[in-house]
Amino acid sequence: REAARQVLEAKPDLVVAVGEFAGAFGAEGDGGVELVSGAAPEDVGLELKRALRPGDVLLLKASRGVQLERLFAILWPERSFEEVH
């Protein structure tokens, strides 16, 4: 919860939370931060892809158990995992 609070205080444009701790960000995100959440990377991939614009900075952080690298095939289907990793 503390890490989620600190992320929200930084006022990012968008927070994408995946996995069992996604609820730490609240139902809608706190402080007007847009929140997309889901149980698995596939649950948030298409919405994240629609939100991204050229020049955006994307920070991905997760534990290995979440397998967040599965987002790569959704975000960049034309590229291999090795190219975007």
Side-chain angles (χ1 to χ4, degrees):
R1 292 193 193 282
E2 177 61 21
R5 184 188 65 73
Q6 290 180 18
V7 166
L8 294 172
E9 282 181 358
K11 302 283 188 211
D13 294 322
L14 174 67
V15 171
V16 178
V18 178
E20 65 182 278
F21 297 108
F25 288 95
E28 298 295 325
D30 293 332
V33 174
E34 183 180 355
L35 175 67
V36 175
S37 63
E42 294 81 4
D43 298 332
V44 300
L46 291 178
E47 194 163 350
L48 175 58
K49 185 172 184 165
R50 283 191 288 271
L52 288 174
R53 300 289 175 256
D56 283 354
V57 174
L58 176 63
L59 169 66
L60 299 175
K61 164 57 181 102
S63 66
R64 284 295 312 130
V66 173
Q67 298 178 344
L68 201 56
E69 69 274 5
R70 295 185 335 222
L71 273 178
F72 295 141
I74 298 168
L75 297 176
W76 301 285
E78 69 283 356
R79 302 182 78 184
S80 70
F81 173 75
E82 290 75 23
E83 288 179 294
V84 296
H85 182 258

